[in-house]
Amino acid sequence: MQLPLGPDPRTETLRRIQAALIARFGRIVRPDGKRRAPEWVLVHGVIGAQTKTAASNASTDGLLAEYGSWEAVAAVPVKDLEARLKRQTFPKVAAQRLKDCLGAIIAERGSVDLRHLSNLDLEDAMAWLERLPGVARKNSAGVMNASSFARKVMVIDGHHRRIMQRMGIVPAKADTARTYDALMPVVPDEWSAADMDEHHLLLKKLGQTFCRPRQPQCAECPVRSDCETGTGTPLAR
């Protein structure tokens, strides 16, 4: 008979990370009244590859303001979309992905409306989103967590993944999907969707300041004591 293995120590590590980052950076909370519609969050993610959040916010808002609906945006020729996505790092790619994604939703649903996802289990909703052109795990998790859906799911961007790898919480070469699969089972049970959103935003802040892609500032990092890279020692598991 196999004895229970007990709680995963990574769960307590995530709790310590959260507390340490809040102590260093303060709270980063997305008010419920500021949450965007899931369709807006989807578009933002589809066009946002390697682009700063502020630029993608402006592009997404600009499209909806100019055309009035996502169905109208879907009807715009790719060349015209590209011209309106100049803020994006890869406007040509963003334009084609957006056109294809919105077209696929309309073909299946009749309009750009994601309300049906609220009636699905989380895994089924994310799988539906990931069948759309240009939508991967980061995007599907973002729609479910950061939008008005506010579901309990972790968004993983490049900063988040890099920090988890360096800390030794996920395998060193884990991609976004594998990082997600490793983290979700060890997220503290008491964390709400808002806690998971804040965790992601705090880690993004950490990645932009101390845990940079090159020359991380480990000596000043607020979570160094829980990091294999920062301490130079594999952590006990």
Side-chain angles (χ1 to χ4, degrees), residues 198-229:
E198 184 175 25
H199 185 72
H200 166 70
L201 295 173
L202 286 165
L203 283 172
K204 184 174 182 177
K205 182 75 170 178
L206 180 66
Q208 293 169 337
T209 52
F210 298 105
C211 198
R212 297 172 180 169
R214 295 183 178 86
Q215 298 181 332
Q217 300 176 26
C218 295
E220 303 172 34
C221 179
V223 297
R224 180 184 179 187
S225 61
D226 275 311
C227 180
E228 289 186 353
T229 301

PDB file of all heavy atoms in Angstrom, residues 198-229:
ATOM      1  N   GLU A 198      -2.927  38.340  -9.835  1.00  0.00           N
ATOM      2  CA  GLU A 198      -1.913  39.176  -9.178  1.00  0.00           C
ATOM      3  C   GLU A 198      -0.557  38.479  -9.159  1.00  0.00           C
ATOM      4  O   GLU A 198       0.482  39.116  -9.352  1.00  0.00           O
ATOM      5  CB  GLU A 198      -2.344  39.527  -7.757  1.00  0.00           C
ATOM      6  CG  GLU A 198      -1.368  40.470  -7.064  1.00  0.00           C
ATOM      7  CD  GLU A 198      -1.833  40.931  -5.709  1.00  0.00           C
ATOM      8  OE1 GLU A 198      -2.636  40.220  -5.068  1.00  0.00           O
ATOM      9  OE2 GLU A 198      -1.380  42.007  -5.263  1.00  0.00           O
ATOM     10  N   HIS A 199      -0.548  37.170  -8.935  1.00  0.00           N
ATOM     11  CA  HIS A 199       0.701  36.411  -8.947  1.00  0.00           C
ATOM     12  C   HIS A 199       1.406  36.571 -10.292  1.00  0.00           C
ATOM     13  O   HIS A 199       2.621  36.837 -10.353  1.00  0.00           O
ATOM     14  CB  HIS A 199       0.408  34.938  -8.680  1.00  0.00           C
ATOM     15  CG  HIS A 199       1.632  34.084  -8.565  1.00  0.00           C
ATOM     16  ND1 HIS A 199       2.470  34.129  -7.478  1.00  0.00           N
ATOM     17  CD2 HIS A 199       2.152  33.152  -9.406  1.00  0.00           C
ATOM     18  CE1 HIS A 199       3.459  33.261  -7.643  1.00  0.00           C
ATOM     19  NE2 HIS A 199       3.282  32.663  -8.804  1.00  0.00           N
ATOM     20  N   HIS A 200       0.642  36.432 -11.355  1.00  0.00           N
ATOM     21  CA  HIS A 200       1.204  36.602 -12.701  1.00  0.00           C
ATOM     22  C   HIS A 200       1.752  38.016 -12.891  1.00  0.00           C
ATOM     23  O   HIS A 200       2.866  38.196 -13.397  1.00  0.00           O
ATOM     24  CB  HIS A 200       0.135  36.307 -13.752  1.00  0.00           C
ATOM     25  CG  HIS A 200       0.496  36.765 -15.120  1.00  0.00           C
ATOM     26  ND1 HIS A 200       1.479  36.165 -15.868  1.00  0.00           N
ATOM     27  CD2 HIS A 200       0.024  37.804 -15.868  1.00  0.00           C
ATOM     28  CE1 HIS A 200       1.603  36.796 -17.026  1.00  0.00           C
ATOM     29  NE2 HIS A 200       0.738  37.788 -17.054  1.00  0.00           N
ATOM     30  N   LEU A 201       1.002  39.023 -12.477  1.00  0.00           N
ATOM     31  CA  LEU A 201       1.437  40.408 -12.665  1.00  0.00           C
ATOM     32  C   LEU A 201       2.665  40.731 -11.806  1.00  0.00           C
ATOM     33  O   LEU A 201       3.553  41.485 -12.238  1.00  0.00           O
ATOM     34  CB  LEU A 201       0.286  41.359 -12.330  1.00  0.00           C
ATOM     35  CG  LEU A 201      -0.929  41.264 -13.261  1.00  0.00           C
ATOM     36  CD1 LEU A 201      -2.073  42.127 -12.741  1.00  0.00           C
ATOM     37  CD2 LEU A 201      -0.572  41.657 -14.685  1.00  0.00           C
ATOM     38  N   LEU A 202       2.737  40.155 -10.610  1.00  0.00           N
ATOM     39  CA  LEU A 202       3.903  40.362  -9.756  1.00  0.00           C
ATOM     40  C   LEU A 202       5.143  39.707 -10.356  1.00  0.00           C
ATOM     41  O   LEU A 202       6.244  40.291 -10.332  1.00  0.00           O
ATOM     42  CB  LEU A 202       3.634  39.806  -8.359  1.00  0.00           C
ATOM     43  CG  LEU A 202       2.688  40.617  -7.483  1.00  0.00           C
ATOM     44  CD1 LEU A 202       2.209  39.788  -6.298  1.00  0.00           C
ATOM     45  CD2 LEU A 202       3.362  41.900  -6.994  1.00  0.00           C
ATOM     46  N   LEU A 203       4.990  38.505 -10.895  1.00  0.00           N
ATOM     47  CA  LEU A 203       6.129  37.842 -11.522  1.00  0.00           C
ATOM     48  C   LEU A 203       6.578  38.588 -12.771  1.00  0.00           C
ATOM     49  O   LEU A 203       7.780  38.662 -13.073  1.00  0.00           O
ATOM     50  CB  LEU A 203       5.781  36.392 -11.857  1.00  0.00           C
ATOM     51  CG  LEU A 203       5.791  35.439 -10.660  1.00  0.00           C
ATOM     52  CD1 LEU A 203       5.238  34.087 -11.061  1.00  0.00           C
ATOM     53  CD2 LEU A 203       7.193  35.286 -10.103  1.00  0.00           C
ATOM     54  N   LYS A 204       5.635  39.149 -13.502  1.00  0.00           N
ATOM     55  CA  LYS A 204       5.993  39.970 -14.660  1.00  0.00           C
ATOM     56  C   LYS A 204       6.826  41.173 -14.213  1.00  0.00           C
ATOM     57  O   LYS A 204       7.831  41.522 -14.846  1.00  0.00           O
ATOM     58  CB  LYS A 204       4.720  40.427 -15.378  1.00  0.00           C
ATOM     59  CG  LYS A 204       4.966  41.211 -16.653  1.00  0.00           C
ATOM     60  CD  LYS A 204       3.647  41.491 -17.352  1.00  0.00           C
ATOM     61  CE  LYS A 204       3.870  42.236 -18.666  1.00  0.00           C
ATOM     62  NZ  LYS A 204       2.587  42.449 -19.388  1.00  0.00           N
ATOM     63  N   LYS A 205       6.417  41.793 -13.113  1.00  0.00           N
ATOM     64  CA  LYS A 205       7.165  42.924 -12.560  1.00  0.00           C
ATOM     65  C   LYS A 205       8.568  42.483 -12.148  1.00  0.00           C
ATOM     66  O   LYS A 205       9.557  43.181 -12.411  1.00  0.00           O
ATOM     67  CB  LYS A 205       6.409  43.485 -11.360  1.00  0.00           C
ATOM     68  CG  LYS A 205       7.051  44.698 -10.714  1.00  0.00           C
ATOM     69  CD  LYS A 205       6.855  45.945 -11.544  1.00  0.00           C
ATOM     70  CE  LYS A 205       7.281  47.187 -10.795  1.00  0.00           C
ATOM     71  NZ  LYS A 205       7.138  48.410 -11.620  1.00  0.00           N
ATOM     72  N   LEU A 206       8.668  41.327 -11.512  1.00  0.00           N
ATOM     73  CA  LEU A 206       9.972  40.796 -11.121  1.00  0.00           C
ATOM     74  C   LEU A 206      10.862  40.558 -12.333  1.00  0.00           C
ATOM     75  O   LEU A 206      12.053  40.872 -12.320  1.00  0.00           O
ATOM     76  CB  LEU A 206       9.788  39.489 -10.341  1.00  0.00           C
ATOM     77  CG  LEU A 206      11.067  38.803  -9.853  1.00  0.00           C
ATOM     78  CD1 LEU A 206      11.766  39.651  -8.800  1.00  0.00           C
ATOM     79  CD2 LEU A 206      10.753  37.416  -9.301  1.00  0.00           C
ATOM     80  N   GLY A 207      10.268  40.013 -13.405  1.00  0.00           N
ATOM     81  CA  GLY A 207      11.031  39.742 -14.615  1.00  0.00           C
ATOM     82  C   GLY A 207      11.494  40.991 -15.338  1.00  0.00           C
ATOM     83  O   GLY A 207      12.493  40.968 -16.056  1.00  0.00           O
ATOM     84  N   GLN A 208      10.762  42.085 -15.156  1.00  0.00           N
ATOM     85  CA  GLN A 208      11.139  43.347 -15.789  1.00  0.00           C
ATOM     86  C   GLN A 208      12.180  44.119 -14.982  1.00  0.00           C
ATOM     87  O   GLN A 208      12.783  45.059 -15.504  1.00  0.00           O
ATOM     88  CB  GLN A 208       9.893  44.217 -15.966  1.00  0.00           C
ATOM     89  CG  GLN A 208       8.891  43.669 -16.965  1.00  0.00           C
ATOM     90  CD  GLN A 208       7.558  44.394 -16.927  1.00  0.00           C
ATOM     91  OE1 GLN A 208       7.200  45.009 -15.912  1.00  0.00           O
ATOM     92  NE2 GLN A 208       6.802  44.324 -18.006  1.00  0.00           N
ATOM     93  N   THR A 209      12.367  43.733 -13.733  1.00  0.00           N
ATOM     94  CA  THR A 209      13.262  44.485 -12.854  1.00  0.00           C
ATOM     95  C   THR A 209      14.496  43.678 -12.470  1.00  0.00           C
ATOM     96  O   THR A 209      15.602  43.971 -12.918  1.00  0.00           O
ATOM     97  CB  THR A 209      12.523  44.956 -11.598  1.00  0.00           C
ATOM     98  OG1 THR A 209      11.865  43.833 -10.982  1.00  0.00           O
ATOM     99  CG2 THR A 209      11.473  46.008 -11.939  1.00  0.00           C
ATOM    100  N   PHE A 210      14.335  42.640 -11.675  1.00  0.00           N
ATOM    101  CA  PHE A 210      15.470  41.886 -11.164  1.00  0.00           C
ATOM    102  C   PHE A 210      15.816  40.652 -11.999  1.00  0.00           C
ATOM    103  O   PHE A 210      16.980  40.427 -12.324  1.00  0.00           O
ATOM    104  CB  PHE A 210      15.206  41.459  -9.717  1.00  0.00           C
ATOM    105  CG  PHE A 210      15.028  42.616  -8.781  1.00  0.00           C
ATOM    106  CD1 PHE A 210      13.778  42.967  -8.315  1.00  0.00           C
ATOM    107  CD2 PHE A 210      16.117  43.371  -8.378  1.00  0.00           C
ATOM    108  CE1 PHE A 210      13.605  44.039  -7.451  1.00  0.00           C
ATOM    109  CE2 PHE A 210      15.965  44.451  -7.520  1.00  0.00           C
ATOM    110  CZ  PHE A 210      14.705  44.795  -7.054  1.00  0.00           C
ATOM    111  N   CYS A 211      14.802  39.849 -12.352  1.00  0.00           N
ATOM    112  CA  CYS A 211      15.060  38.579 -13.039  1.00  0.00           C
ATOM    113  C   CYS A 211      14.972  38.759 -14.550  1.00  0.00           C
ATOM    114  O   CYS A 211      14.160  38.136 -15.239  1.00  0.00           O
ATOM    115  CB  CYS A 211      14.080  37.514 -12.554  1.00  0.00           C
ATOM    116  SG  CYS A 211      14.612  35.822 -12.922  1.00  0.00           S
ATOM    117  N   ARG A 212      15.830  39.605 -15.077  1.00  0.00           N
ATOM    118  CA  ARG A 212      15.814  39.929 -16.502  1.00  0.00           C
ATOM    119  C   ARG A 212      16.365  38.768 -17.324  1.00  0.00           C
ATOM    120  O   ARG A 212      17.094  37.916 -16.802  1.00  0.00           O
ATOM    121  CB  ARG A 212      16.642  41.189 -16.750  1.00  0.00           C
ATOM    122  CG  ARG A 212      16.080  42.429 -16.060  1.00  0.00           C
ATOM    123  CD  ARG A 212      17.030  43.586 -16.167  1.00  0.00           C
ATOM    124  NE  ARG A 212      16.499  44.776 -15.502  1.00  0.00           N
ATOM    125  CZ  ARG A 212      17.204  45.869 -15.252  1.00  0.00           C
ATOM    126  NH1 ARG A 212      18.477  45.939 -15.621  1.00  0.00           N
ATOM    127  NH2 ARG A 212      16.652  46.902 -14.644  1.00  0.00           N
ATOM    128  N   PRO A 213      16.044  38.751 -18.627  1.00  0.00           N
ATOM    129  CA  PRO A 213      16.551  37.657 -19.469  1.00  0.00           C
ATOM    130  C   PRO A 213      18.072  37.549 -19.438  1.00  0.00           C
ATOM    131  O   PRO A 213      18.623  36.453 -19.408  1.00  0.00           O
ATOM    132  CB  PRO A 213      16.041  38.033 -20.863  1.00  0.00           C
ATOM    133  CG  PRO A 213      14.828  38.856 -20.604  1.00  0.00           C
ATOM    134  CD  PRO A 213      15.117  39.633 -19.359  1.00  0.00           C
ATOM    135  N   ARG A 214      18.754  38.702 -19.454  1.00  0.00           N
ATOM    136  CA  ARG A 214      20.211  38.721 -19.377  1.00  0.00           C
ATOM    137  C   ARG A 214      20.644  39.467 -18.122  1.00  0.00           C
ATOM    138  O   ARG A 214      20.021  40.427 -17.724  1.00  0.00           O
ATOM    139  CB  ARG A 214      20.808  39.410 -20.607  1.00  0.00           C
ATOM    140  CG  ARG A 214      20.544  38.660 -21.910  1.00  0.00           C
ATOM    141  CD  ARG A 214      21.215  39.357 -23.094  1.00  0.00           C
ATOM    142  NE  ARG A 214      21.003  38.624 -24.339  1.00  0.00           N
ATOM    143  CZ  ARG A 214      19.940  38.772 -25.114  1.00  0.00           C
ATOM    144  NH1 ARG A 214      18.999  39.636 -24.791  1.00  0.00           N
ATOM    145  NH2 ARG A 214      19.818  38.064 -26.230  1.00  0.00           N
ATOM    146  N   GLN A 215      21.681  38.987 -17.506  1.00  0.00           N
ATOM    147  CA  GLN A 215      22.257  39.600 -16.305  1.00  0.00           C
ATOM    148  C   GLN A 215      21.221  39.838 -15.200  1.00  0.00           C
ATOM    149  O   GLN A 215      20.974  40.979 -14.789  1.00  0.00           O
ATOM    150  CB  GLN A 215      22.951  40.920 -16.669  1.00  0.00           C
ATOM    151  CG  GLN A 215      24.115  40.734 -17.637  1.00  0.00           C
ATOM    152  CD  GLN A 215      24.816  42.045 -17.971  1.00  0.00           C
ATOM    153  OE1 GLN A 215      24.214  43.116 -17.943  1.00  0.00           O
ATOM    154  NE2 GLN A 215      26.092  41.956 -18.281  1.00  0.00           N
ATOM    155  N   PRO A 216      20.627  38.763 -14.714  1.00  0.00           N
ATOM    156  CA  PRO A 216      19.675  38.923 -13.600  1.00  0.00           C
ATOM    157  C   PRO A 216      20.379  39.469 -12.363  1.00  0.00           C
ATOM    158  O   PRO A 216      21.535  39.145 -12.091  1.00  0.00           O
ATOM    159  CB  PRO A 216      19.171  37.494 -13.380  1.00  0.00           C
ATOM    160  CG  PRO A 216      20.244  36.613 -13.934  1.00  0.00           C
ATOM    161  CD  PRO A 216      20.805  37.353 -15.110  1.00  0.00           C
ATOM    162  N   GLN A 217      19.689  40.301 -11.626  1.00  0.00           N
ATOM    163  CA  GLN A 217      20.242  40.931 -10.427  1.00  0.00           C
ATOM    164  C   GLN A 217      19.872  40.095  -9.199  1.00  0.00           C
ATOM    165  O   GLN A 217      19.057  40.495  -8.358  1.00  0.00           O
ATOM    166  CB  GLN A 217      19.721  42.362 -10.311  1.00  0.00           C
ATOM    167  CG  GLN A 217      20.096  43.240 -11.496  1.00  0.00           C
ATOM    168  CD  GLN A 217      19.478  44.623 -11.404  1.00  0.00           C
ATOM    169  OE1 GLN A 217      19.188  45.123 -10.319  1.00  0.00           O
ATOM    170  NE2 GLN A 217      19.269  45.244 -12.554  1.00  0.00           N
ATOM    171  N   CYS A 218      20.497  38.936  -9.105  1.00  0.00           N
ATOM    172  CA  CYS A 218      20.117  37.971  -8.069  1.00  0.00           C
ATOM    173  C   CYS A 218      20.359  38.500  -6.660  1.00  0.00           C
ATOM    174  O   CYS A 218      19.588  38.200  -5.744  1.00  0.00           O
ATOM    175  CB  CYS A 218      20.889  36.667  -8.278  1.00  0.00           C
ATOM    176  SG  CYS A 218      20.470  35.805  -9.818  1.00  0.00           S
ATOM    177  N   ALA A 219      21.422  39.281  -6.467  1.00  0.00           N
ATOM    178  CA  ALA A 219      21.764  39.736  -5.122  1.00  0.00           C
ATOM    179  C   ALA A 219      20.661  40.593  -4.515  1.00  0.00           C
ATOM    180  O   ALA A 219      20.487  40.620  -3.292  1.00  0.00           O
ATOM    181  CB  ALA A 219      23.072  40.521  -5.150  1.00  0.00           C
ATOM    182  N   GLU A 220      19.898  41.288  -5.351  1.00  0.00           N
ATOM    183  CA  GLU A 220      18.854  42.186  -4.867  1.00  0.00           C
ATOM    184  C   GLU A 220      17.452  41.590  -4.977  1.00  0.00           C
ATOM    185  O   GLU A 220      16.470  42.228  -4.595  1.00  0.00           O
ATOM    186  CB  GLU A 220      18.902  43.501  -5.650  1.00  0.00           C
ATOM    187  CG  GLU A 220      20.247  44.209  -5.589  1.00  0.00           C
ATOM    188  CD  GLU A 220      20.301  45.407  -6.533  1.00  0.00           C
ATOM    189  OE1 GLU A 220      19.266  46.062  -6.714  1.00  0.00           O
ATOM    190  OE2 GLU A 220      21.384  45.669  -7.075  1.00  0.00           O
ATOM    191  N   CYS A 221      17.345  40.383  -5.493  1.00  0.00           N
ATOM    192  CA  CYS A 221      16.036  39.794  -5.777  1.00  0.00           C
ATOM    193  C   CYS A 221      15.284  39.463  -4.493  1.00  0.00           C
ATOM    194  O   CYS A 221      15.838  38.813  -3.589  1.00  0.00           O
ATOM    195  CB  CYS A 221      16.214  38.539  -6.613  1.00  0.00           C
ATOM    196  SG  CYS A 221      14.654  37.699  -7.004  1.00  0.00           S
ATOM    197  N   PRO A 222      14.026  39.840  -4.386  1.00  0.00           N
ATOM    198  CA  PRO A 222      13.251  39.582  -3.169  1.00  0.00           C
ATOM    199  C   PRO A 222      12.904  38.118  -2.935  1.00  0.00           C
ATOM    200  O   PRO A 222      12.468  37.774  -1.831  1.00  0.00           O
ATOM    201  CB  PRO A 222      11.995  40.424  -3.371  1.00  0.00           C
ATOM    202  CG  PRO A 222      11.870  40.591  -4.845  1.00  0.00           C
ATOM    203  CD  PRO A 222      13.269  40.652  -5.364  1.00  0.00           C
ATOM    204  N   VAL A 223      13.067  37.258  -3.952  1.00  0.00           N
ATOM    205  CA  VAL A 223      12.751  35.838  -3.770  1.00  0.00           C
ATOM    206  C   VAL A 223      13.996  34.966  -3.921  1.00  0.00           C
ATOM    207  O   VAL A 223      13.898  33.761  -4.152  1.00  0.00           O
ATOM    208  CB  VAL A 223      11.632  35.380  -4.747  1.00  0.00           C
ATOM    209  CG1 VAL A 223      10.341  36.122  -4.459  1.00  0.00           C
ATOM    210  CG2 VAL A 223      12.038  35.574  -6.199  1.00  0.00           C
ATOM    211  N   ARG A 224      15.158  35.557  -3.754  1.00  0.00           N
ATOM    212  CA  ARG A 224      16.409  34.820  -3.957  1.00  0.00           C
ATOM    213  C   ARG A 224      16.491  33.570  -3.092  1.00  0.00           C
ATOM    214  O   ARG A 224      16.976  32.523  -3.535  1.00  0.00           O
ATOM    215  CB  ARG A 224      17.598  35.729  -3.661  1.00  0.00           C
ATOM    216  CG  ARG A 224      18.951  35.033  -3.853  1.00  0.00           C
ATOM    217  CD  ARG A 224      20.107  35.916  -3.452  1.00  0.00           C
ATOM    218  NE  ARG A 224      21.374  35.234  -3.627  1.00  0.00           N
ATOM    219  CZ  ARG A 224      22.542  35.705  -3.227  1.00  0.00           C
ATOM    220  NH1 ARG A 224      22.591  36.906  -2.639  1.00  0.00           N
ATOM    221  NH2 ARG A 224      23.653  35.021  -3.409  1.00  0.00           N
ATOM    222  N   SER A 225      16.044  33.640  -1.851  1.00  0.00           N
ATOM    223  CA  SER A 225      16.197  32.510  -0.939  1.00  0.00           C
ATOM    224  C   SER A 225      15.446  31.266  -1.395  1.00  0.00           C
ATOM    225  O   SER A 225      15.759  30.153  -0.963  1.00  0.00           O
ATOM    226  CB  SER A 225      15.735  32.898   0.472  1.00  0.00           C
ATOM    227  OG  SER A 225      14.359  33.255   0.467  1.00  0.00           O
ATOM    228  N   ASP A 226      14.473  31.443  -2.281  1.00  0.00           N
ATOM    229  CA  ASP A 226      13.712  30.305  -2.801  1.00  0.00           C
ATOM    230  C   ASP A 226      14.126  29.934  -4.224  1.00  0.00           C
ATOM    231  O   ASP A 226      13.421  29.170  -4.889  1.00  0.00           O
ATOM    232  CB  ASP A 226      12.205  30.618  -2.784  1.00  0.00           C
ATOM    233  CG  ASP A 226      11.579  30.320  -1.434  1.00  0.00           C
ATOM    234  OD1 ASP A 226      11.802  29.218  -0.908  1.00  0.00           O
ATOM    235  OD2 ASP A 226      10.886  31.207  -0.903  1.00  0.00           O
ATOM    236  N   CYS A 227      15.272  30.450  -4.685  1.00  0.00           N
ATOM    237  CA  CYS A 227      15.656  30.288  -6.094  1.00  0.00           C
ATOM    238  C   CYS A 227      16.945  29.481  -6.227  1.00  0.00           C
ATOM    239  O   CYS A 227      17.975  29.829  -5.628  1.00  0.00           O
ATOM    240  CB  CYS A 227      15.829  31.665  -6.731  1.00  0.00           C
ATOM    241  SG  CYS A 227      16.292  31.605  -8.477  1.00  0.00           S
ATOM    242  N   GLU A 228      16.896  28.440  -7.033  1.00  0.00           N
ATOM    243  CA  GLU A 228      18.084  27.639  -7.278  1.00  0.00           C
ATOM    244  C   GLU A 228      19.180  28.456  -7.949  1.00  0.00           C
ATOM    245  O   GLU A 228      20.364  28.317  -7.610  1.00  0.00           O
ATOM    246  CB  GLU A 228      17.734  26.430  -8.150  1.00  0.00           C
ATOM    247  CG  GLU A 228      16.915  25.370  -7.447  1.00  0.00           C
ATOM    248  CD  GLU A 228      16.702  24.132  -8.279  1.00  0.00           C
ATOM    249  OE1 GLU A 228      17.074  24.118  -9.463  1.00  0.00           O
ATOM    250  OE2 GLU A 228      16.168  23.154  -7.729  1.00  0.00           O
ATOM    251  N   THR A 229      18.808  29.311  -8.892  1.00  0.00           N
ATOM    252  CA  THR A 229      19.801  30.142  -9.582  1.00  0.00           C
ATOM    253  C   THR A 229      20.391  31.171  -8.625  1.00  0.00           C
ATOM    254  O   THR A 229      21.609  31.389  -8.605  1.00  0.00           O
ATOM    255  CB  THR A 229      19.170  30.840 -10.789  1.00  0.00           C
ATOM    256  OG1 THR A 229      18.644  29.859 -11.695  1.00  0.00           O
ATOM    257  CG2 THR A 229      20.185  31.708 -11.526  1.00  0.00           C
TER     258      THR A 229
END
